[in-house]
Amino acid sequence: MPELPEVETIRRTLAEHVINLEIKEVRLIWSSAVCSWEDQSFEDLVTGRRIQTIDRRGKYLLIRLDEDLTLIAHMRMTGRLNYYTEKREPEKHTHVVFGLEQGEVHFSDVRKFGRIQAIPTSQCFSNSSLSKLGPEPLELEFTPHVLKERLRKKKISVKAALLDQHVLAGLGNIYVDESLFQAGISPERRVDTLSDEEISKLHQAIQNVLQAGIDAQGTSFRDYRDANGEKGSFERELQVYGRGGEPCKLCGQVLERIRLAGRTTVYCSRCQK
């Protein structure tokens, strides 16, 4: 699933091509891929609008159109938004084609979990999934104190807490495992046992790992590509994720692979306490 670094990379690469362009045509190949506003047709609502900016909130992409309309795109497991300079025949798993003044944007999704929702911009943060998201981990306002407050009173594993988008927006399995490794904290630790020093280390690790992921343009194992169809390279820097049974790069201990919070979790029992 695209996480914060992947969605941020899609945002940046898509914005390079489509800002200030008008959407001339919308072709729905699989209509369930979109959610319109009230009883209006998605095609009629979106066609003729101009793309003003592209923002991100957690794992959501916000394509701001003129006249108070935003498209909220969630990639889920295998969603992609690809830009093409010329008209292109839709591939097998392409569900929506946005024809622009210059080129096209194709929304594709092998597993069909991703969605694009049209909603008035003025209601984005009150009448959508965005309203319940936790803070952005790379904003200046996200401090160790904020993280402590978000975790306060919880009696679940730190892995489960960090996967909860209501606690913190944008983290998924990859970047949680990597952040916990860098902070030296076992994913099985209950959050109410973390000291202030450990929370401070975790806060710094989260920011370090996410920024490194963005700098590497995301992690590509299978489906993820940016808007240009390019892969990210952060998988080369992974310390624990996907490496269960292999030696720890720091101490040589065989990395543990367990099931935690419904997700496969990899960690070093020697380096992470």
Side-chain angles (χ1 to χ4, degrees):
M1 173 191 292
E3 302 179 27
L4 188 155
E6 289 76 42
V7 179
E8 177 62 19
T9 301
I10 294 170
R11 184 194 72 77
R12 295 180 182 187
T13 53
L14 188 60
E16 292 174 357
H17 302 291
V18 304
I19 298 300
N20 295 324
L21 295 185
E22 180 183 340
I23 299 173
K24 306 292 287 186
E25 175 191 17
V26 178
R27 283 184 283 157
L28 292 185
I29 300 167
W30 184 56
S31 60
S32 295
V34 302
C35 304
S36 193
W37 179 250
E38 296 183 337
D39 295 327
Q40 302 179 69
S41 121
F42 184 87
E43 300 100 307
D44 292 343
L45 191 61
V46 174
T47 301
R49 309 259 188 171
R50 193 169 295 276
I51 300 171
Q52 295 183 320
T53 61
I54 303 180
D55 300 322
R56 180 193 53 75
R57 181 73 173 94
K59 301 178 186 179
Y60 294 83
L61 202 65
L62 284 68
I63 303 173
R64 309 287 196 181
L65 310 182
D66 59 6
E67 300 180 41
D68 190 40
L69 191 71
T70 291
L71 302 181
I72 302 176
H74 198 322
M75 305 297 115
R76 299 292 179 186
M77 298 295 292
T78 58
R80 292 185 191 175
L81 279 168
N82 290 116
Y83 175 80
Y84 301 105
T85 56
E86 299 177 347
K87 284 191 174 183
R88 183 186 180 105
E89 188 67 23
E91 297 178 354
K92 179 180 179 180
H93 300 291
T94 298
H95 306 313
V96 188
V97 175
F98 297 91
L100 309 177
E101 288 178 292
Q102 300 171 24
E104 295 182 335
V105 173
H106 290 206
F107 176 65
S108 60
D109 186 3
V110 173
R111 300 188 66 177
K112 292 188 172 181
F113 293 152
R115 293 292 183 273
I116 299 179
Q117 176 187 7
I119 187 170
T121 300
S122 56
Q123 299 192 41
C124 265
F125 295 100
S126 57
N127 287 322
S128 73
S129 300
L130 304 180
S131 63
K132 298 180 180 179
L133 292 179
E136 283 288 321
L138 290 178
E139 290 187 348
L140 292 176
E141 292 79 6
F142 177 63
T143 63
H145 176 72
V146 169
L147 179 59
K148 180 180 178 180
E149 287 299 303
R150 303 302 295 184
L151 297 176
R152 190 167 61 91
K153 295 183 179 179
K154 290 189 176 294
K155 297 181 179 180
I156 58 177
S157 72
V158 64
K159 172 70 181 270
L162 293 179
L163 287 174
D164 186 346
Q165 299 302 295
H166 301 161
V167 173
L168 193 60
L171 288 170
N173 210 29
I174 297 173
Y175 297 97
V176 169
D177 278 7
E178 292 297 304
S179 297
L180 289 171
F181 176 78
Q182 189 173 122
I185 297 171
S186 169
E188 296 181 290
R189 283 278 299 280
R190 276 185 18 171
V191 293
D192 58 343
T193 70
L194 297 176
S195 67
D196 287 352
E197 181 181 0
E198 287 174 318
I199 289 176
S200 182
K201 287 182 179 179
L202 179 58
H203 169 270
Q204 188 62 59
I206 289 169
Q207 293 195 321
N208 289 345
V209 168
L210 289 176
Q211 189 58 58
I214 292 171
D215 292 343
Q217 298 185 312
T219 306
S220 293
F221 282 116
R222 292 175 293 274
D223 300 286
Y224 164 70
R225 301 289 188 277
D226 67 16
N228 297 319
E230 300 294 329
K231 294 182 178 182
S233 61
F234 191 63
E235 65 273 10
R236 301 172 190 167
E237 302 177 36
L238 295 174
Q239 301 296 305
V240 289
Y241 180 83
R243 298 189 61 245
E246 298 179 27
C248 174
K249 293 181 180 181
L250 287 184
C251 72
Q253 174 88 1
V254 174
L255 296 175
E256 303 282 345
R257 183 194 290 114
I258 61 173
R259 193 78 175 169
L260 186 61
R263 308 298 297 275
T264 299
T265 301
V266 180
Y267 72 105
C268 177
S269 59
R270 181 178 294 170
C271 294
Q272 295 173 255
K273 306 300 182 183

